[in-house]
Amino acid sequence: MSNSSRTPAPYWNPYAAGIALGLVLFLSILISGNGLGASGGVARILTGATKIVATPFVDKNPYLGHLGGGAANPLAHRMLWMLMGVALGGFVSGWLGGRLKLETVRGPHVGIRTRWIMAVLGGALMGWGAAMARGCTSGQALSGGAVLGVGSWAFMMMVFAGGYLIAYPFRRLWL
Amino acid sequence: MFPFELTGMTNYLFTLFIGFLFGFVLERAGFGYARNLAAQFYLYDMRVLKVMFTAIITAMLLVFACSAIGILDFDSVWVSPTYIGPAIIGGFVLGLGFILGGYCPGTSIVSASTFRIDGMFFVLGVALGMFGFALMSPALYDFWYSGGFFGRITLPDILGVDAGVVVLAVFVMAICAFAFAELSERLFQREESPAPPTPRVRMFRRGAIGVGLLIAVGTLAIGQPSADRLMAQHQAELKTRIANREIFIDPAELLGLMYNKQVERILLDVRNESDYTRFHIRDARHVTLDQLKQNWVKEIPVEAIVVVMSNDEALATEAWKCVAVRENINAYVLAGGINRWLDIYENKQADAPHSDQPATGNDTLRHPLSEALGSRFAFARPEPRKLPKDLADRKFAAKIKLKTAVRKEGGGCG
């Protein structure tokens, strides 16, 4: 049995991992006609949770209402199952590879607290952006890119543009 | 033919299975560890670009190759509709978040599920960001809902080429990007940079490029299924539907449809330009058979009812085939064509043949219209209450079936 104290197994070669990821995406499209996704699941859990504490707010809100206002149940959606699958698959792979580890991944010159704040901040920008773009790197860039969607390619270019634009000024976070 | 229409639990369990594989591969690729991801933007480890582009071209090659050989119906595959404004703004903000947070939503889930605390904070951040968007959504709604909306369009659509051309181009571009990535890792080398590829990896890479190129060129050579190919494939079924006249609707049924505000209708007039200029039914669009065989059909929304017409029926039936072979399109032919329409609404012949009786003419306009007024004749869309009683009460066998649109759902937040 593997555990977290042993030396982690090396990652797959990126090209091999890419082919594996491409095959998963292709299988999904071939069988169900749909691609992959991640942010949709989070958005629906958020909507479901908000609905419990403030139903009228969800009903009146254009974005949350769109995801699960009125009689619609935001949680009865395949993206929730996708999300569970991703978490489970990630866990199993990390476990088998001896890579389960309670830690904070950060650049060498960043304190733990700064890293946590930045993770929330970066996550918030991602969440906002994914809501605006109707998808994140999985649903838009990867799935939409493979079927040559116009908006998805524009999206992908902008992700790299945004990243490279501020990478240098924020280099202390990672280098 | 693929894909299947998965519903209920089958759909959920299949999605769970795909999600499992997705999460597993992401973790194996090293995407559960923020520094591997951020490295992309500091150019010393181009793992993100390599994995993502390899995945995109692998899936792309297989999808379009399967579509070319006719085992996957690409029209039934979900393509995230293009909202160009929101895509650009959203993508840009996502890119900023990538640098600050070090993950994207999918990879942060994997990170959190392998116990990384920063990953857990990131997931929390994603939910907060979405809530922030929700709070701002009343103000952003117009932009979000219609900012540069182009519907389901793909790169081959806007370039007006066979998808194979774009597939090959993207493949070649990706190979160039990989070469650039390898170079960049040498130029910006740091301790953490990956070791140069071993001879075995080089061989594997050359082999993969060869296979990919072969699939791309093959896809281009076969081409995506054209209207002609689809028609040949569905010949028997189309013939039956034409022979039992279930697709021919009576002029009176069309008139009813034209006054029905509940449904979207698309009237297609496939006659020559001069006949169309002389007379056409109000709101009918002029379109040629060639246009229908090209990409034009893609612009027809799923919910719409399409009615095709010519002077009699022969040409319209040919045109109907081009439209009807596309899955999800609800198309009909005007029985007796424009000639019978004019018999009834211009010449007031209430006893004109019904929809089960085929037109006999040779698809020329029988009616000597005094002027070329297009659709400005009263009988281009007669008002039912102004019609003589026998015309207004004309009996017909209703043929139009309303279908609920079968649509694929998105993967993202939409």
Side-chain angles (χ1 to χ4, degrees):
Chain A
M1 279 271 94
S2 9
N3 61 56
S4 52
S5 60
R6 84 163 201 210
T7 326
Y11 297 122
W12 283 350
N13 172 293
Y15 297 110
I19 291 177
L21 185 54
L23 290 175
V24 173
L25 174 57
F26 169 68
L27 183 72
S28 180
I29 292 174
L30 183 75
I31 304 294
S32 73
N34 280 308
L36 308 170
S39 52
V42 181
R44 275 160 216 283
I45 292 178
L46 172 75
T47 311
T50 314
K51 207 168 174 172
I52 293 170
V53 292
T55 314
F57 174 73
V58 172
D59 290 343
K60 278 186 222 140
N61 186 270
Y63 179 63
L64 299 179
H66 171 85
L67 290 168
N73 176 6
L75 301 181
H77 195 271
R78 54 184 286 281
M79 289 318 295
L80 233 68
W81 295 76
M82 175 77 75
L83 193 68
M84 289 190 281
V86 171
L88 202 64
F91 171 77
V92 170
S93 168
W95 179 45
L96 294 177
R99 284 188 291 266
L100 297 181
K101 194 175 173 192
L102 190 70
E103 64 168 338
T104 296
V105 182
R106 58 198 163 109
H109 303 289
V110 175
I112 286 196
R113 187 147 327 150
T114 314
R115 172 64 186 128
W116 288 355
I117 293 169
M118 282 316 203
V120 173
L121 211 62
L125 287 174
M126 279 261 174
W128 193 93
M132 173 56 94
R134 297 173 170 79
C136 57
T137 16
S138 325
Q140 281 285 10
L142 193 59
S143 309
V147 293
L148 303 176
V150 174
S152 302
W153 278 85
F155 170 86
M156 196 184 335
M157 296 299 134
M158 290 311 290
V159 174
F160 281 107
Y164 280 111
L165 186 76
I166 65 159
Y168 190 73
F170 283 91
R171 64 191 179 281
R172 280 294 104 190
L173 287 178
W174 300 105
L175 296 180
Chain B
M1 188 151 83
F2 294 104
F4 303 127
E5 200 67 55
L6 301 182
T7 51
M9 233 343 134
T10 327
N11 186 21
Y12 291 158
L13 290 179
F14 178 74
T15 310
L16 180 73
F17 171 67
I18 289 291
F20 180 89
L21 296 179
F22 183 30
F24 191 93
V25 175
L26 283 181
E27 207 284 334
R28 289 281 133 161
F31 282 11
Y33 196 82
R35 291 180 66 174
N36 292 336
L37 296 163
Q40 171 67 38
F41 293 93
Y42 298 98
L43 303 169
Y44 63 85
D45 183 351
M46 304 292 271
R47 187 171 273 281
V48 171
L49 182 140
K50 291 181 194 172
V51 174
M52 244 182 90
F53 272 32
T54 310
I56 288 176
I57 59 175
T58 303
M60 171 190 75
L61 287 170
L62 292 172
V63 164
F64 288 98
C66 287
S67 166
I69 59 174
I71 59 173
L72 175 70
D73 173 33
F74 186 71
D75 288 346
S76 301
V77 169
W78 166 260
V79 177
S80 191
T82 293
Y83 295 81
I84 201 79
I88 287 174
I89 304 285
F92 184 76
V93 173
L94 225 93
L96 304 180
F98 216 132
I99 296 298
L100 298 188
Y103 295 107
C104 58
T107 52
S108 70
I109 302 286
V110 171
S111 167
S113 68
T114 51
F115 305 158
R116 264 64 191 200
I117 302 165
D118 52 318
M120 299 174 197
F121 276 110
F122 189 96
V123 177
L124 177 75
V126 171
L128 288 177
M130 284 174 172
F131 194 73
F133 184 85
L135 292 177
M136 294 159 77
S137 68
L140 292 171
Y141 195 70
D142 283 342
F143 177 70
W144 186 70
Y145 201 69
S146 54
F149 176 65
F150 290 96
R152 183 196 194 270
I153 52 164
T154 62
L155 295 173
D157 291 339
I158 57 168
L159 297 173
V161 294
D162 184 87
V165 178
V166 182
V167 167
L168 186 62
V170 169
F171 181 78
V172 171
M173 256 168 43
I175 302 301
C176 295
F178 296 149
F180 159 77
E182 297 293 336
L183 182 71
S184 157
E185 285 173 355
R186 302 283 84 77
L187 285 177
F188 298 91
Q189 193 160 24
R190 299 171 64 84
E191 247 176 80
E192 307 94 316
S193 289
T198 60
R200 220 177 111 235
V201 170
R202 280 176 190 282
M203 218 174 67
F204 160 79
R205 245 174 19 196
R206 259 187 242 123
I209 292 174
V211 172
L213 202 58
L214 214 64
I215 299 177
V217 171
T219 305
L220 178 58
I222 300 170
Q224 297 297 302
S226 62
D228 285 322
R229 249 171 70 195
L230 285 173
M231 278 194 277
Q233 222 174 332
H234 295 96
Q235 208 175 13
E237 180 206 333
L238 295 174
K239 245 185 177 160
T240 327
R241 294 179 62 192
I242 293 167
N244 66 21
R245 295 194 66 79
E246 63 176 65
I247 59 153
F248 291 93
I249 62 166
D250 195 82
E253 186 169 13
L254 174 59
L255 185 63
L257 182 70
M258 288 165 73
Y259 278 99
N260 185 341
K261 291 194 172 69
Q262 311 291 322
V263 291
E264 183 172 0
R265 64 208 156 254
I266 294 177
L267 311 184
L268 301 178
D269 193 324
V270 295
R271 300 170 303 157
N272 63 38
E273 193 96 45
S274 97
D275 282 355
Y276 179 80
T277 320
R278 288 184 79 75
F279 169 77
H280 61 262
I281 289 176
R282 183 106 19 109
D283 296 333
R285 302 187 213 174
H286 181 249
V287 55
T288 64
L289 214 56
D290 277 340
Q291 281 172 314
L292 285 180
K293 284 187 180 175
Q294 306 299 322
N295 275 331
W296 198 87
V297 180
K298 286 192 180 165
E299 291 166 28
I300 298 178
V302 198
E303 307 88 341
I305 290 171
V306 182
V307 181
V308 191
M309 60 197 82
S310 61
N311 282 323
D312 289 312
E313 285 175 359
L315 191 61
T317 309
E318 273 313 297
W320 172 83
K321 286 191 209 162
C322 303
V323 180
V325 282
R326 304 281 176 178
E327 247 173 85
N328 279 338
I329 294 188
N330 196 6
Y332 301 88
V333 173
L334 175 61
I338 296 293
N339 281 328
R340 195 178 291 171
W341 175 279
L342 291 174
D343 287 343
I344 299 174
Y345 297 113
E346 187 197 6
N347 298 349
K348 319 285 185 214
Q349 296 173 15
D351 59 346
H354 283 271
S355 61
D356 284 338
Q357 256 180 288
T360 44
N362 59 351
D363 245 328
T364 50
L365 189 59
R366 273 193 278 111
H367 291 255
L369 295 150
S370 52
E371 288 170 286
L373 285 179
S375 66
R376 280 164 295 157
F377 293 100
F379 46 84
R381 189 174 76 161
E383 281 184 53
R385 61 188 171 83
K386 287 189 186 162
L387 285 173
K389 195 168 171 358
D390 54 343
L391 284 187
D393 292 344
R394 181 179 162 90
K395 296 272 177 293
F396 60 88
K399 306 270 181 74
I400 294 177
K401 292 186 188 78
L402 288 175
K403 291 182 189 164
T404 28
V406 181
R407 276 173 188 278
K408 294 289 168 191
E409 349 174 34
C413 294

